[in-house]
Amino acid sequence: MSKNKILIMACVFMSGCALWGQGNKTPLTPLGQLNVCLRDEVNSALQDGTVAMYGNETAVRKVAETCLEKLKIRDDFLQNTAYRNATALLTQNVGTSLK
């Protein structure tokens, strides 16, 4: 076989493996999705100056409300969790990874 055929076969095999691996991922729970959103929004608020401009309390409310709206969460437990976790990420992030 020529080198080109071997290279093409290897590429086809590798792309098939990549596609096969994606189907086995477990989707995040609603709480997991909420935490990812909160982390991303807190990082954005810290970088764009929202926290410095409005203070922690208002920034927490904005972050939590943004994520609740994005994810269309209506569950009372998750709504309370959103505010609690946003507060923790903004004020008590010692040992908490925001990456």
Side-chain angles (χ1 to χ4, degrees):
M1 274 195 247
S2 69
K3 289 182 182 179
N4 288 339
K5 285 184 182 179
I6 293 173
L7 182 61
I8 290 171
M9 288 174 47
C11 289
V12 169
F13 176 75
M14 294 301 287
S15 64
C17 289
L19 291 175
W20 177 75
Q22 290 179 353
N24 291 335
K25 291 184 179 177
T26 304
L28 290 176
T29 63
L31 178 59
Q33 292 173 354
L34 177 63
N35 286 333
V36 168
C37 181
L38 290 171
R39 180 201 62 205
D40 294 345
E41 290 296 322
V42 165
N43 280 335
S44 294
L46 289 170
Q47 289 176 356
D48 69 12
T50 299
V51 176
M53 185 184 310
Y54 295 112
N56 280 348
E57 287 183 39
T58 303
V60 163
R61 195 172 63 249
K62 285 179 172 277
V63 164
E65 289 172 359
T66 299
C67 289
L68 291 170
E69 184 63 32
K70 274 184 185 179
L71 299 172
K72 297 177 180 23
I73 294 176
R74 303 290 177 245
D75 180 70
D76 289 338
F77 173 76
L78 289 178
Q79 288 179 351
N80 290 334
T81 301
Y83 290 100
R84 235 184 5 255
N85 289 357
T87 301
L89 286 170
L90 274 173
T91 60
Q92 307 164 0
N93 61 1
V94 177
T96 303
S97 174
L98 292 179
K99 294 182 181 178

